[in-house]
Amino acid sequence: MMQQNQPNIKESATPNTGVIENQESPIIVGLDIGTTKVAVIAGRKNEQGKLEILGFGKANSNGVQHGDVLNIDLTIKSIQQALHNCLKSNPQLLIEEVYVGIAGKHIKSLQTRGDIVRQDAETEIQKREIDQLIADQRRTFIPASDEIIDVIPQDFKVDNIQNIKDPVGYNGVKVGANFHLITGDKNAIRNINRAVLKSGLHTKDLVLQPLASAAAVMSDIDLEAGVAILDIGGGTSDLAIFYEGILKHTAVIPFGGENITHDIRMGLGVLKQQAEALKVQFGCAIADEAKANTYITIPGLKGLPAKEISMRNLAQIIQARMTEILEFISYHIKQIGLDEKALNGGIILTGGGSQLKDLRLLTEYVTRLNARIGYPNEHLAPNQIAELRQPMYATCLGLILKGYNDYESKSKEFSKQTNIVQVPEGLISGIKTEVSKENTAIRQQPGTIKEGTRFWDKFKNSIIELFKEEDDPIIK
């Protein structure tokens, strides 16, 4: 029988690709540590190449500010609660390794160029040569306080042949490429890894959040047309620009939904909780669209009279901050030598902040680009939980797709060793878990599903409970 606080679960000797593998494809887990929420999603591709969600958990985020982990202990508790909820939705999951999103104002990007001269020009270029070329870019000089998070090839050149997407199979003397390097502060990266490790998990890879979101909401047509992805989160707004089929630019804008909430709180003189409720329930991104003579009644504190909030004033506060965020998009597009005519795909808005009323219209007005809301439906299998199709989960679903990209391209070696998962004592404090002998046997064979059970129906019913929102008594 599994012990309550210190279970030892032996994993079968199968590739461990972000957690579990079955006979079809691995089950990969994404962990999104945001400023307002922490989400854990486990997914697996079906025969049609679409993601089936096999586990989900979320929790309020504490200890994170503007995308940076500041209080590790509080962040650990949030991760553990989200992990517990994920395992509660599907007790058959064995979660050991996760793909983790990273953002924050410390994130920077730069362009580099690399070349290698081959000894034998008559033989075809091998993948190991390209891997070495990419690895060489990690020796690029950057400030001592920073660390390279990712090296992304943009386009290759073999001798005089340019704009090659994949040079493997070509032959030539000289192979070169342009690269997009993403760097971050060492201490910020260390804090994320430490919080994940102390939560009983291992970071398989760190992925820049706008790239994860882009993978979830963008199609091949968008990539070809040229598009900007703006993920509006709680603490930051993350930008990724694609042009001519390649990643041209990434940026982290240090403003998000929390800044809007703060502006409302200060501008209208209400509590933070009231400001958040005003934004979500009555917020509008264009002041002219708000009703001028409509007011919202806020209950007074401790016998004080109720406060009347103008819908027009609320919209003016929101519009001012959102305009500032959107102006960053135009700035970054010009910084890389493009204009609105170059991005035929326009702007895709995603993340929790993208659900603000009339935001699409404001985006088109400020940037002069077509805009639409990006839902993570492109890669999801039919009949999944409807709430997971919301923009706020684009990053977490994109992390799963990143894991599959690693798995399918074989760009990384996945462990084939037998592992013993040690869950630290107190991982899920105060929660009693009873596991039957039958269920324990299932857990010892990760990726299997108990025969004779309607797995999806049970999972669906359990996960729906996690999305039930409490009634908000604040606004009348």
Side-chain angles (χ1 to χ4, degrees):
M1 177 69 69
M2 187 183 301
Q3 296 179 4
Q4 179 178 339
N5 293 326
Q6 200 80 359
N8 294 329
I9 307 169
K10 289 188 178 181
E11 184 177 348
S12 59
T14 57
N16 187 337
T17 61
V19 186
I20 312 166
E21 171 140 354
N22 67 0
Q23 295 178 351
E24 300 172 359
S25 59
I27 296 176
I28 296 176
V29 180
L31 171 61
D32 179 15
I33 307 174
T35 302
T36 57
K37 75 174 189 316
V38 174
V40 178
I41 301 179
R44 177 182 61 200
K45 281 191 176 181
N46 60 19
E47 295 178 353
Q48 290 74 38
K50 300 295 185 179
L51 282 183
E52 293 180 346
I53 305 306
L54 302 181
F56 169 79
K58 69 174 181 177
N60 292 329
S61 179
N62 296 301
V64 181
Q65 185 175 353
H66 295 295
D68 296 334
V69 174
L70 301 183
N71 188 316
I72 295 178
D73 289 340
L74 290 178
T75 303
I76 291 171
K77 292 179 181 178
S78 297
I79 295 174
Q80 290 173 349
Q81 186 59 52
L83 178 63
H84 166 71
N85 290 335
C86 184
L87 295 175
K88 184 179 178 181
S89 73
N90 182 2
Q92 298 177 16
L93 284 174
L94 171 62
I95 298 180
E96 180 185 4
E97 293 183 331
V98 290
Y99 282 81
V100 183
I102 184 170
K105 57 185 178 181
H106 62 93
I107 297 293
K108 296 186 287 290
S109 63
L110 66 151
Q111 305 296 120
T112 63
R113 173 77 189 184
D115 299 277
I116 57 172
V117 177
R118 307 180 67 232
Q119 296 180 351
D120 187 357
E122 299 301 321
T123 62
E124 290 78 13
I125 298 172
Q126 303 296 313
K127 186 178 182 299
R128 56 179 174 77
E129 296 178 272
I130 304 304
D131 290 342
Q132 184 59 51
L133 177 60
I134 296 173
D136 289 344
Q137 301 310 302
R138 291 191 173 272
R139 293 197 288 268
T140 301
F141 175 79
I142 59 174
S145 60
D146 289 347
E147 179 179 328
I148 294 177
I149 298 173
D150 206 353
V151 178
I152 303 172
Q154 294 179 313
D155 58 343
F156 292 89
K157 177 181 178 182
V158 178
D159 292 341
N160 295 323
I161 307 175
Q162 300 184 10
N163 299 322
I164 300 173
K165 299 301 181 184
D166 185 1
V168 175
Y170 285 71
N171 58 3
V173 176
K174 187 177 181 180
V175 183
N178 294 313
F179 295 92
H180 185 81
L181 268 63
I182 299 170
T183 68
D185 181 76
K186 285 183 178 179
N187 289 329
I189 295 172
R190 187 181 299 115
N191 285 348
I192 291 177
N193 287 328
R194 187 177 299 165
V196 173
L197 183 63
K198 288 187 175 181
S199 300
L201 303 170
H202 172 70
T203 302
K204 185 67 179 177
D205 197 6
L206 286 176
V207 182
L208 188 64
Q209 288 186 8
L211 297 184
S213 300
V217 304
M218 189 175 61
S219 66
D220 292 338
I221 296 177
D222 296 320
L223 186 64
E224 180 182 350
V227 68
I229 311 290
L230 181 65
D231 183 347
I232 306 172
T236 62
S237 296
D238 308 322
L239 177 66
I241 301 174
F242 297 85
Y243 178 67
E244 293 185 340
I246 62 175
L247 175 66
K248 293 291 290 185
H249 185 69
T250 57
V252 176
I253 302 167
F255 302 112
E258 285 282 283
N259 297 95
I260 298 175
T261 301
H262 179 266
D263 292 345
I264 295 172
R265 182 174 70 86
M266 299 301 294
L268 300 180
V270 297
L271 299 176
K272 180 179 179 181
Q273 186 179 8
Q274 294 173 329
E276 179 68 20
L278 285 170
K279 179 185 70 174
V280 172
Q281 297 182 26
F282 303 101
C284 177
I286 300 180
D288 290 342
E289 296 295 324
K291 296 180 180 179
N293 298 321
T294 303
Y295 293 85
I296 308 160
T297 302
I298 301 293
L301 298 177
K302 295 183 177 180
L304 294 176
K307 180 176 292 189
E308 300 289 333
I309 303 296
S310 167
M311 290 276 284
R312 179 65 61 86
N313 290 342
L314 174 64
Q316 287 174 341
I317 294 172
I318 295 174
Q319 180 177 340
R321 178 63 75 175
M322 281 308 312
T323 299
E324 182 181 13
I325 293 174
L326 294 171
E327 285 175 344
F328 273 97
I329 300 179
S330 299
Y331 168 78
H332 283 285
I333 291 174
K334 292 178 181 178
Q335 283 290 99
I336 59 176
L338 299 177
D339 57 29
E340 61 271 9
K341 296 180 181 178
L343 301 179
N344 295 323
I347 296 175
I348 300 178
L349 302 167
T350 191
S354 67
Q355 297 176 294
L356 195 61
K357 183 182 178 183
D358 291 329
L359 178 58
R360 183 183 64 81
L361 296 176
L362 180 65
T363 302
E364 293 181 340
Y365 175 76
V366 173
T367 65
R368 295 185 295 178
L369 285 164
N370 293 325
R372 64 180 174 89
I373 306 300
Y375 296 92
N377 301 332
E378 185 73 23
H379 305 281
L380 273 180
N383 302 321
Q384 302 298 296
I385 298 299
E387 284 80 358
L388 289 177
R389 297 181 180 274
Q390 297 302 312
M392 67 180 67
Y393 299 109
T395 295
C396 206
L397 292 170
L399 292 171
I400 299 175
L401 294 173
K402 163 63 177 175
Y404 265 101
N405 182 66
D406 286 348
Y407 176 77
E408 292 168 353
S409 65
K410 304 297 183 181
S411 61
K412 293 185 178 180
E413 293 183 1
F414 292 88
S415 172
K416 294 185 179 181
Q417 302 297 323
T418 299
N419 298 313
I420 296 178
V421 181
Q422 297 285 350
V423 180
E425 185 173 356
L427 173 62
I428 306 174
S429 178
I431 301 175
K432 295 183 179 181
T433 305
E434 295 182 3
V435 183
S436 66
K437 294 181 179 180
E438 185 178 30
N439 207 15
T440 303
I442 294 174
R443 282 175 153 287
Q444 291 174 344
Q445 298 177 1
T448 62
I449 296 177
K450 183 179 177 182
E451 295 181 2
T453 63
R454 297 185 58 82
F455 166 74
W456 174 249
D457 290 340
K458 289 185 177 181
F459 168 63
K460 185 173 182 179
N461 292 334
S462 63
I463 200 174
I464 284 176
E465 296 296 324
L466 300 177
F467 287 102
K468 289 184 177 179
E469 298 183 357
E470 297 180 1
D471 294 332
D472 193 340
I474 298 174
I475 308 299
K476 290 186 177 180

